[in-house]
Amino acid sequence: MIVAENILEKADNLFHKYGVRSISMDDIARELGISKKTIYQYFKDKDDIVYQMTQRRIEIDKNEFSKAYESSEDAIDELIKVSVCLRKNLNRVNPALLFDIQKYHPRSWDLWIDYKNNYIRNYVLKSIERGKREGFFRSTLDAETLATFRIETVQMSFDDRIFPHDKFNFTEVQMTLFDHFVHGLLTVKGHEIYQNLIKSQVNV
């Protein structure tokens, strides 16, 4: 039985693989083996699907990141687990996705901006303060500035004008920026622990 969740899941997969603009309601219906009329029983239009898909994806990402933060033993362990989540999430994202949402689906874009500027930024801020208390991050760091810097570098990597997709691998850009950010935080003690943990993590 087709329900709204099935439609959102299929749309999510298609949008992440091909971008939003190139996927039509016909494409979604064809992939599900149903008629467009069935989709319209659950969603007003494509913009409604994109909006609810964005809400769904944000909740999934929040859950994954929350588990990483809550299960971490210290700020270093937190960085490792967050990097795993980051790589997992980025490997499935087509850079065109956010570009299309920003340009053609402003309601959904507002959801993403709120998620980035509030939820993600707050976690980065708390992580930096935690690392400072534990002695793994430099005590002189301005957590507010660096939390803002971090989320803006994430956003920057999606910009095709800065990192043209025919020249840069999106996931590699993100992980390079993440690694650079982390090393700018660490004390000597933190650096040694971080490197040891990195070496022990086959999937990081």
Side-chain angles (χ1 to χ4, degrees):
M1 178 179 177
I2 296 297
V3 296
E5 180 63 21
N6 299 125
I7 297 171
L8 285 176
E9 183 175 1
K10 181 58 67 176
D12 189 345
N13 291 335
L14 290 171
F15 292 155
H16 275 79
K17 187 174 182 179
Y18 301 108
V20 175
R21 189 183 183 191
S22 62
I23 297 299
S24 67
M25 298 289 272
D26 285 318
D27 294 325
I28 298 171
R30 188 180 307 111
E31 285 291 318
L32 286 164
I34 61 176
S35 67
K36 283 197 298 183
K37 183 178 179 180
T38 301
I39 296 179
Y40 286 121
Q41 291 176 1
Y42 298 96
F43 303 95
K44 180 180 178 181
D45 50 26
K46 180 179 174 181
D47 186 66
D48 188 28
I49 292 180
V50 174
Y51 185 81
Q52 293 193 44
M53 180 274 295
T54 303
Q55 287 182 312
R56 177 180 180 273
R57 175 47 51 187
I58 285 174
E59 289 306 312
I60 292 172
D61 288 352
K62 280 183 177 181
N63 186 54
E64 291 181 357
F65 280 107
S66 292
K67 288 179 179 178
Y69 281 108
E70 291 168 4
S71 65
S72 60
E73 298 179 1
D74 52 49
I76 300 293
D77 184 42
E78 191 174 282
L79 288 175
I80 298 294
K81 290 178 177 176
V82 168
S83 71
V84 172
C85 286
L86 181 64
R87 179 170 294 181
K88 175 185 174 183
N89 291 338
L90 292 176
N91 279 338
R92 67 184 298 274
V93 174
N94 183 335
L97 174 69
L98 285 186
F99 174 81
D100 287 348
I101 291 176
Q102 179 181 15
K103 189 169 183 179
Y104 303 107
H105 302 277
R107 286 197 311 143
S108 300
W109 181 249
D110 287 343
L111 283 180
W112 160 252
I113 292 299
D114 180 70
Y115 171 57
K116 182 192 76 168
N117 289 343
N118 292 300
Y119 185 86
I120 297 178
R121 183 181 180 280
N122 185 54
Y123 264 116
V124 174
L125 182 62
K126 291 193 295 184
S127 180
I128 294 173
E129 294 292 2
R130 178 183 184 180
K132 289 167 67 175
R133 291 194 303 271
E134 294 171 341
F136 298 134
F137 298 167
R138 292 181 289 120
S139 61
T140 56
L141 295 175
D142 182 336
E144 290 276 354
T145 297
L146 289 172
T148 301
F149 170 77
R150 173 59 188 149
I151 61 170
E152 290 306 319
T153 57
V154 170
Q155 185 68 38
M156 179 178 67
S157 68
F158 287 95
D159 194 331
D160 187 60
R161 296 168 299 179
I162 300 174
F163 294 106
H165 303 148
D166 60 342
K167 294 179 61 177
F168 295 91
N169 178 281
F170 174 66
T171 301
E172 290 180 1
V173 168
Q174 281 282 11
M175 298 313 297
T176 296
L177 293 173
F178 179 80
D179 187 66
H180 176 76
F181 175 74
V182 170
H183 281 85
L185 304 176
L186 299 168
T187 60
V188 173
K189 174 185 175 183
H191 185 271
E192 292 175 355
I193 295 175
Y194 182 69
Q195 290 302 315
N196 289 334
L197 283 174
I198 286 290
K199 292 176 183 177
S200 69
Q201 296 289 322
V202 176
N203 294 320
V204 176

